[in-house]
Amino acid sequence: GAVVSQHPSRVICKSGTSVKIECRSLDFQATTMFWYRQFPKQSLMLMATSNEGSKATYEQGVEKDKFLINHASLTLSTLTVTSAHPEDSSFYICSARPSDRGREKLFFGSGTQLSVL
Amino acid sequence: SQQGEEDPQALSIQEGENATMNCSYKTSINNLQWYRQNSGRGLVHLILIRSNEREKHSGRLRVTLDTSKKSSSLLITASRAADTASYFCATGPDSSYKLIFGSGTRLLVRP
């Protein structure tokens, strides 16, 4: 099966610092990746759609300058939380859509728990 | 924006019993998918049902879709303690392949 690797799995940082989260598709190419945010015991909220070689498409209410997304290759997308604050603490999950197989099904990373002190 | 609502929000059953979860959505869809999430982990795809399908089976899973009512149900038969997890429905509203997730059902299967 397709594997998506997400790192780090957990990060604790001071307020004001920036944090980068990586999402890699290990055995397939992914033209499109998605970034979600999840609060405890709640659903996943789509933040943005990341397209290889082009700008990300952000959902309404998501700050582009706060959550920088880069999809520089067909196997890697990164989410950078800039100048993180305690309210940015959350569980962030990426997913990837394979370019060359059944396209509706997504494969998810294992998530990153961000805690901003 | 969140597309679907699921009920119940939480479900506790005994091992061996069946578990039924329901999902409602708001707009037209191309397909509806069910995912499972163990606590603090990523999601695992369970099953996909297309808008022109009414029922689908996969092992102990049975999914139904009623597009006239904009609803779907997931049935897990002969539940096991290992089925304990959160279950989410997700809809693909258009050709962009993005998924909008429902509110989820937390299932606890007691041994």
Side-chain angles (χ1 to χ4, degrees), chain B residues 72-108:
Chain B
S72 173
S73 68
L74 170 67
L75 168 67
I76 303 175
T77 60
S79 64
R80 305 166 182 168
D83 294 329
T84 294
S86 291
Y87 292 83
F88 295 92
C89 68
T91 51
D94 53 37
S95 58
S96 70
Y97 302 109
K98 69 180 182 183
L99 292 181
I100 306 299
F101 283 82
S103 52
T105 294
R106 295 191 307 279
L107 173 66
L108 171 65

Side-chain angles (χ1 to χ4, degrees), chain A residues 16-49:
Chain A
T17 61
S18 294
V19 175
K20 179 184 282 189
I21 303 170
E22 290 190 349
C23 181
R24 290 180 186 274
S25 55
L26 296 186
D27 52 357
F28 65 96
Q29 292 184 333
T31 309
T32 305
M33 293 186 177
F34 302 93
W35 287 95
Y36 291 86
R37 181 174 182 175
Q38 185 180 32
F39 291 104
K41 295 185 179 180
Q42 293 190 24
S43 186
L44 284 75
M45 301 299 293
L46 179 64
M47 299 175 65
T49 302

Side-chain angles (χ1 to χ4, degrees), chain B residues 47-98:
Chain B
I47 195 166
L48 179 153
I49 186 166
R50 301 187 189 283
S51 59
N52 61 354
E53 297 177 308
R54 292 296 169 260
E55 187 171 314
K56 204 161 184 179
H57 297 255
S58 177
R60 294 185 294 115
L61 305 180
R62 173 177 166 253
V63 169
T64 63
L65 179 64
D66 187 336
T67 52
S68 66
K69 296 181 179 179
K70 291 187 168 57
S71 68
S72 173
S73 68
L74 170 67
L75 168 67
I76 303 175
T77 60
S79 64
R80 305 166 182 168
D83 294 329
T84 294
S86 291
Y87 292 83
F88 295 92
C89 68
T91 51
D94 53 37
S95 58
S96 70
Y97 302 109
K98 69 180 182 183

